[in-house]
Amino acid sequence: MVGTAIEADLRSWSREVLEVPSKHLKGMPPCPYAKQAWKQDKILVIESDNFEEDIARYCRDFYEFDKELIVVASYDIPHTDDLTAFTEDLNRQYPSLHCMQFHPDYGADDAELDFLTDNNWESSTEYEYCMVFIQDLALVVAASDRLERLGYYSAYPTDEYEALVVTRKRRLTNGNETSGDEARRRGQEDDARR
């Protein structure tokens, strides 16, 4: 059962974009784990009127909810730089978690993430909203490592790959992680051996 307009919108986006095989990602969907997570009721969506307070609460109590992903969303949208700084602070304050923001001003087209923009999906909400995704850092890195071995990240521009994949891996390994170029080179060598 869908609880809010934002949750309904996210389920629609997941079904029509994230779960659909993409030519940009070697036939894999943009989020290979989304369909199963929804099906197993592992996603909690919170539509918030107290955005920062609710995010802090759900970070603090994350492991009490038995979810793989908690999304805190709000129609009250902060400036993109403020949301970035807030999310970075959350990642420092809660080292076992990975918090990732979505701001409606983020340009997936500008970031050359065609697999997110090459579709006909339209939001069903009247107003734009922002979100913070909260997940267990170790689980996110393990899932990302599995995708890396499949060549999933080859469609990512280097700067996006560094920001989304290498940065969180460095956090998990206390900074002992190679750069994206080195990780990609290793992945290509592994592919060549197969």
Side-chain angles (χ1 to χ4, degrees):
M1 182 171 145
V2 175
T4 66
I6 291 176
E7 182 174 345
D9 204 49
L10 288 177
R11 284 179 181 263
S12 167
W13 178 56
S14 180
R15 194 174 43 255
E16 296 178 33
V17 178
L18 298 182
E19 300 170 26
V20 177
S22 170
K23 65 183 178 186
H24 304 287
L25 296 167
K26 298 185 175 185
M28 289 181 277
C31 185
Y33 305 110
K35 185 175 184 176
Q36 193 69 10
W38 285 113
K39 186 176 179 181
Q40 294 178 345
D41 192 29
K42 291 295 185 181
I43 300 173
L44 175 63
V45 179
I46 306 299
E47 192 170 304
S48 175
D49 291 325
N50 298 307
F51 193 52
E52 289 188 7
E53 287 178 31
D54 283 338
I55 293 167
R57 174 181 166 239
Y58 283 96
C59 283
R60 185 183 63 247
D61 300 335
F62 178 81
Y63 294 102
E64 294 178 20
F65 291 95
D66 191 35
K67 301 293 181 184
E68 292 177 3
L69 171 64
I70 297 177
V71 180
V72 181
S74 178
Y75 294 109
D76 186 17
I77 302 170
H79 186 276
T80 187
D81 292 339
D82 295 336
L83 184 57
T84 297
F86 178 66
T87 305
E88 289 172 353
D89 187 50
L90 290 169
N91 283 323
R92 282 188 293 274
Q93 189 174 357
Y94 300 97
S96 67
L97 299 177
H98 174 63
C99 297
M100 184 176 74
Q101 72 196 34
F102 168 82
H103 195 285
D105 290 341
Y106 174 75
D109 283 325
D110 295 337
E112 299 176 25
L113 299 175
D114 298 334
F115 55 89
L116 291 177
T117 58
D118 190 11
N119 61 71
N120 296 319
W121 181 80
E122 289 188 31
S123 175
S124 61
T125 63
E126 184 176 354
Y127 302 104
E128 292 184 322
Y129 53 91
C130 61
M131 301 177 282
V132 169
F133 298 81
I134 307 167
Q135 296 175 283
D136 178 277
L137 177 62
L139 292 178
V140 171
V141 169
S144 180
D145 286 348
R146 286 191 296 275
L147 292 176
E148 182 132 39
R149 288 189 293 272
L150 297 172
Y152 174 86
Y153 294 108
S154 62
Y156 277 70
T158 299
D159 58 336
E160 287 295 315
Y161 175 82
E162 290 277 340
L164 297 173
V165 179
V166 175
T167 299
R168 65 183 174 225
K169 197 169 204 173
R170 280 188 185 131
R171 284 184 52 229
L172 185 65
T173 61
N174 297 315
N176 298 320
E177 181 53 40
T178 58
S179 73
D181 291 336
E182 176 66 17
R184 285 180 193 219
R185 185 187 60 73
R186 287 183 188 170
Q188 290 168 347
E189 288 173 358
D190 290 343
D191 287 344
R193 281 188 229 125
R194 290 184 194 139

